[in-house]
Amino acid sequence: MLNPLAGSITSVRNRSVGFDSKPSCWSFVKRTLASLLRKVVRVCQAIPEALATLASCRGRAKNCPSKPDITRTRLMTKTPRTAGILRYLDQLVKETDIRWADVNHDNPERLCDQVARRSFNRNVLTTELEGQSFNACTRMLAHLEGEYGHHLRGVLDFAAEQVGHTEEDPMKVSTAYKYPTFVEDIIIALHERLGRYDVLVEPGANIRRYSELSSKDIKALSCIGVALI
Protein backbone atom coordinates (compact mmCIF):
# COMPACT_ATOMS: atom_id res chain seq x y z
CA MET A 1 0.00 0.00 0.00
CA LEU A 2 1.36 3.41 -0.93
CA ASN A 3 2.12 5.82 1.84
CA PRO A 4 0.00 8.95 1.24
CA LEU A 5 2.68 11.09 2.89
CA ALA A 6 5.48 9.93 0.62
CA GLY A 7 4.58 12.29 -2.18
CA SER A 8 4.33 15.23 0.18
CA ILE A 9 7.71 14.49 1.78
CA THR A 10 9.35 14.14 -1.63
CA SER A 11 7.77 17.39 -2.71
CA VAL A 12 9.06 19.23 0.34
CA ARG A 13 12.56 17.81 -0.10
CA ASN A 14 12.71 18.87 -3.72
CA ARG A 15 11.20 22.27 -3.18
CA SER A 16 13.60 25.22 -3.38
CA VAL A 17 13.82 27.27 -0.23
CA GLY A 18 13.24 30.97 -0.68
CA PHE A 19 16.00 32.25 1.65
CA ASP A 20 18.60 34.87 0.96
CA SER A 21 21.80 32.91 1.51
CA LYS A 22 24.32 35.51 0.49
CA PRO A 23 27.72 34.83 2.11
CA SER A 24 27.88 38.32 3.62
CA CYS A 25 24.50 37.87 5.29
CA TRP A 26 25.49 34.47 6.67
CA SER A 27 28.77 35.86 7.97
CA PHE A 28 26.99 38.64 9.81
CA VAL A 29 24.47 36.23 11.33
CA LYS A 30 27.19 33.80 12.44
CA ARG A 31 29.30 36.56 13.97
CA THR A 32 26.30 37.92 15.86
CA LEU A 33 25.26 34.51 17.15
CA ALA A 34 28.83 33.67 18.13
CA SER A 35 29.14 36.93 20.06
CA LEU A 36 25.88 36.31 21.90
CA LEU A 37 26.89 32.74 22.65
CA ARG A 38 30.23 33.85 24.10
CA LYS A 39 28.46 36.33 26.36
CA VAL A 40 25.99 33.70 27.56
CA VAL A 41 28.83 31.27 28.24
CA ARG A 42 30.77 33.89 30.23
CA VAL A 43 27.73 34.67 32.36
CA CYS A 44 26.95 30.99 32.91
CA GLN A 45 30.54 30.30 33.91
CA ALA A 46 30.57 33.25 36.28
CA ILE A 47 27.38 32.30 38.12
CA PRO A 48 28.66 29.14 39.85
CA GLU A 49 31.93 30.91 40.71
CA ALA A 50 30.01 33.82 42.18
CA LEU A 51 27.75 31.55 44.18
CA ALA A 52 30.79 29.65 45.45
CA THR A 53 32.31 32.99 46.47
CA LEU A 54 29.13 33.87 48.34
CA ALA A 55 29.17 30.60 50.26
CA SER A 56 32.88 30.92 50.99
CA CYS A 57 32.55 34.49 52.21
CA ARG A 58 29.77 33.60 54.61
CA GLY A 59 31.76 30.62 55.79
CA ARG A 60 34.77 32.84 56.52
CA ALA A 61 32.74 35.34 58.54
CA LYS A 62 33.53 33.49 61.77
CA ASN A 63 37.24 33.78 61.01
CA CYS A 64 37.03 37.56 60.65
CA PRO A 65 35.50 38.73 63.95
CA SER A 66 37.12 42.19 64.07
CA LYS A 67 36.34 45.01 61.70
CA PRO A 68 39.09 46.60 59.58
CA ASP A 69 40.69 49.51 61.43
CA ILE A 70 43.13 51.64 59.46
CA THR A 71 44.65 53.09 62.64
CA ARG A 72 46.29 49.69 63.30
CA THR A 73 48.45 50.20 60.23
CA ARG A 74 50.23 53.14 61.90
CA LEU A 75 50.24 54.85 58.52
CA MET A 76 49.44 58.12 60.25
CA THR A 77 52.61 57.87 62.35
CA LYS A 78 56.28 58.22 61.42
CA THR A 79 56.80 54.44 61.33
CA PRO A 80 54.12 52.42 59.51
CA ARG A 81 53.90 48.70 60.32
CA THR A 82 54.01 46.58 57.17
CA ALA A 83 52.56 43.57 58.97
CA GLY A 84 49.77 45.77 60.34
CA ILE A 85 49.03 47.15 56.87
CA LEU A 86 48.81 43.66 55.37
CA ARG A 87 46.56 42.43 58.18
CA TYR A 88 44.35 45.45 57.59
CA LEU A 89 44.21 44.71 53.85
CA ASP A 90 43.37 41.07 54.56
CA GLN A 91 40.54 42.05 56.89
CA LEU A 92 39.35 44.63 54.38
CA VAL A 93 39.21 42.05 51.58
CA LYS A 94 37.29 39.56 53.73
CA GLU A 95 34.90 42.15 55.11
CA THR A 96 34.07 43.65 51.71
CA ASP A 97 33.76 40.15 50.17
CA ILE A 98 31.11 39.30 52.76
CA ARG A 99 29.24 42.58 52.44
CA TRP A 100 29.36 42.54 48.63
CA ALA A 101 28.07 38.96 48.56
CA ASP A 102 25.24 39.83 50.94
CA VAL A 103 24.22 42.89 48.93
CA ASN A 104 24.14 40.88 45.68
CA HIS A 105 22.98 37.49 46.95
CA ASP A 106 20.12 37.53 44.43
CA ASN A 107 22.09 39.03 41.53
CA PRO A 108 24.96 36.71 40.50
CA GLU A 109 25.78 38.73 37.39
CA ARG A 110 26.34 41.94 39.36
CA LEU A 111 28.25 39.94 41.95
CA CYS A 112 30.84 39.34 39.20
CA ASP A 113 30.88 42.97 38.02
CA GLN A 114 34.41 44.12 38.89
CA VAL A 115 33.71 47.79 38.13
CA ALA A 116 30.73 47.86 40.49
CA ARG A 117 32.70 45.93 43.11
CA ARG A 118 35.57 48.41 43.03
CA SER A 119 33.17 51.32 43.40
CA PHE A 120 31.66 49.54 46.40
CA ASN A 121 35.14 49.09 47.93
CA ARG A 122 35.92 52.77 47.57
CA ASN A 123 32.66 53.74 49.23
CA VAL A 124 33.60 51.53 52.17
CA LEU A 125 37.01 53.22 52.39
CA THR A 126 35.51 56.70 52.05
CA THR A 127 33.20 56.00 54.98
CA GLU A 128 36.08 54.81 57.16
CA LEU A 129 38.29 57.78 56.29
CA GLU A 130 35.60 60.25 57.32
CA GLY A 131 36.73 59.70 60.90
CA GLN A 132 40.35 60.60 60.11
CA SER A 133 41.72 64.13 60.43
CA PHE A 134 43.18 66.11 57.55
CA ASN A 135 46.68 65.73 59.03
CA ALA A 136 46.29 61.96 59.47
CA CYS A 137 45.13 61.53 55.87
CA THR A 138 47.98 63.70 54.61
CA ARG A 139 50.57 61.60 56.46
CA MET A 140 49.02 58.31 55.30
CA LEU A 141 49.10 59.55 51.74
CA ALA A 142 52.71 60.65 52.07
CA HIS A 143 53.71 57.15 53.17
CA LEU A 144 51.71 55.33 50.49
CA GLU A 145 52.85 57.59 47.65
CA GLY A 146 56.43 57.83 48.85
CA GLU A 147 59.28 55.36 48.76
CA TYR A 148 57.69 53.18 51.44
CA GLY A 149 54.40 52.78 49.59
CA HIS A 150 56.13 52.38 46.23
CA HIS A 151 58.05 49.39 47.60
CA LEU A 152 55.00 47.99 49.43
CA ARG A 153 52.89 47.98 46.27
CA GLY A 154 55.72 46.33 44.38
CA VAL A 155 55.89 43.60 47.03
CA LEU A 156 52.15 43.01 46.81
CA ASP A 157 52.20 42.93 43.01
CA PHE A 158 55.05 40.41 43.06
CA ALA A 159 53.31 38.29 45.71
CA ALA A 160 50.05 38.26 43.74
CA GLU A 161 51.87 37.16 40.60
CA GLN A 162 53.64 34.35 42.45
CA VAL A 163 50.44 33.16 44.11
CA GLY A 164 48.72 33.20 40.73
CA HIS A 165 51.40 30.89 39.33
CA THR A 166 51.56 28.42 42.20
CA GLU A 167 48.19 28.39 43.98
CA GLU A 168 45.29 26.24 42.75
CA ASP A 169 42.64 27.68 45.07
CA PRO A 170 40.88 30.44 43.05
CA MET A 171 39.79 32.25 46.21
CA LYS A 172 43.39 32.57 47.43
CA VAL A 173 44.50 33.82 44.02
CA SER A 174 41.66 36.35 43.92
CA THR A 175 42.50 37.58 47.42
CA ALA A 176 46.19 38.00 46.58
CA TYR A 177 45.37 40.20 43.60
CA LYS A 178 42.98 42.29 45.67
CA TYR A 179 45.69 43.44 48.09
CA PRO A 180 47.54 45.79 45.68
CA THR A 181 44.23 46.93 44.21
CA PHE A 182 43.02 47.95 47.66
CA VAL A 183 46.20 49.93 48.30
CA GLU A 184 45.51 51.86 45.10
CA ASP A 185 41.90 52.41 46.21
CA ILE A 186 43.09 53.67 49.60
CA ILE A 187 45.36 56.20 47.86
CA ILE A 188 42.47 57.41 45.70
CA ALA A 189 40.11 57.58 48.71
CA LEU A 190 42.69 59.60 50.67
CA HIS A 191 43.04 62.08 47.83
CA GLU A 192 39.26 62.44 47.67
CA ARG A 193 39.11 62.90 51.45
CA LEU A 194 41.52 65.81 50.95
CA GLY A 195 39.41 67.26 48.14
CA ARG A 196 41.47 66.05 45.19
CA TYR A 197 39.79 64.03 42.45
CA ASP A 198 40.69 62.28 39.17
CA VAL A 199 44.02 61.11 40.57
CA LEU A 200 46.31 58.76 38.67
CA VAL A 201 48.16 56.32 40.92
CA GLU A 202 51.72 55.50 39.92
CA PRO A 203 52.62 51.79 39.69
CA GLY A 204 54.55 50.11 42.47
CA ALA A 205 58.19 49.07 42.38
CA ASN A 206 59.12 46.59 39.67
CA ILE A 207 60.08 43.63 41.85
CA ARG A 208 60.88 40.54 39.79
CA ARG A 209 62.87 38.30 42.17
CA TYR A 210 62.36 36.88 45.62
CA SER A 211 65.81 38.16 46.60
CA GLU A 212 64.50 41.74 46.25
CA LEU A 213 62.19 41.24 49.24
CA SER A 214 63.40 42.19 52.70
CA SER A 215 63.04 39.93 55.72
CA LYS A 216 60.30 42.28 56.98
CA ASP A 217 58.44 41.89 53.68
CA ILE A 218 58.58 38.10 53.92
CA LYS A 219 57.49 38.09 57.55
CA ALA A 220 54.62 40.47 56.86
CA LEU A 221 53.39 38.33 53.96
CA SER A 222 53.50 35.25 56.18
CA CYS A 223 51.17 37.03 58.62
CA ILE A 224 48.40 36.84 56.04
CA GLY A 225 49.22 33.32 54.90
CA VAL A 226 51.24 34.22 51.80
CA ALA A 227 54.33 32.01 51.63
CA LEU A 228 56.34 32.51 48.46
CA ILE A 229 58.71 29.57 48.91
Side-chain angles (χ1 to χ4, degrees):
M1 181 177 179
L2 294 175
N3 186 342
L5 296 177
S8 298
I9 293 173
T10 302
S11 175
V12 170
R13 286 177 175 173
N14 294 333
R15 185 181 303 165
S16 61
V17 178
F19 184 80
D20 183 2
S21 58
K22 295 180 180 179
S24 59
C25 178
W26 269 114
S27 298
F28 173 77
V29 171
K30 287 190 288 186
R31 284 197 303 270
T32 302
L33 290 176
S35 177
L36 290 173
L37 181 60
R38 283 194 296 270
K39 184 174 182 180
V40 170
V41 169
R42 284 198 299 269
V43 172
C44 291
Q45 288 175 336
I47 287 175
E49 180 183 351
L51 293 177
T53 301
L54 172 60
S56 176
C57 288
R58 287 175 173 167
R60 288 187 297 166
K62 295 180 180 179
N63 298 325
C64 187
S66 59
K67 299 294 183 183
D69 182 0
I70 200 167
T71 61
R72 295 177 183 173
T73 65
R74 298 183 62 85
L75 275 168
M76 60 287 298
T77 70
K78 292 182 179 180
T79 54
R81 293 176 59 247
T82 302
I85 293 171
L86 266 56
R87 287 193 189 99
Y88 169 73
L89 292 174
D90 191 55
Q91 286 186 325
L92 198 59
V93 168
K94 291 174 181 176
E95 176 70 15
T96 53
D97 276 353
I98 293 167
R99 291 171 62 178
W100 181 246
D102 284 340
V103 168
N104 296 287
H105 68 278
D106 58 348
N107 191 345
E109 187 171 357
R110 188 168 187 271
L111 189 62
C112 300
D113 187 335
Q114 295 303 307
V115 175
R117 169 62 194 272
R118 193 143 186 206
S119 177
F120 176 84
N121 293 347
R122 288 180 183 172
N123 287 336
V124 170
L125 290 168
T126 298
T127 300
E128 180 171 2
L129 291 174
E130 287 176 354
Q132 300 297 321
S133 69
F134 181 91
N135 287 338
C137 290
T138 300
R139 177 158 283 184
M140 284 190 278
L141 197 55
H143 282 309
L144 292 176
E145 288 192 317
E147 184 178 348
Y148 176 85
H150 186 249
H151 176 76
L152 174 66
R153 283 181 284 131
V155 169
L156 292 175
D157 285 333
F158 176 75
E161 185 177 343
Q162 295 305 305
V163 171
H165 288 158
T166 60
E167 181 58 60
E168 294 183 1
D169 185 342
M171 284 301 297
K172 290 183 179 180
V173 174
S174 174
T175 298
Y177 275 100
K178 285 174 183 173
Y179 294 142
T181 301
F182 259 111
V183 175
E184 182 177 324
D185 286 338
I186 292 170
I187 291 173
I188 293 172
L190 283 167
H191 273 289
E192 292 179 352
R193 176 73 175 84
L194 298 173
R196 299 191 288 265
Y197 301 89
D198 298 325
V199 176
L200 293 178
V201 180
E202 295 293 328
N206 185 27
I207 296 176
R208 307 308 305 167
R209 294 184 298 275
Y210 181 82
S211 59
E212 296 178 59
L213 303 181
S214 70
S215 59
K216 288 184 178 180
D217 296 331
I218 297 168
K219 184 176 180 180
L221 288 170
S222 69
C223 290
I224 56 173
V226 177
L228 302 182
I229 293 182

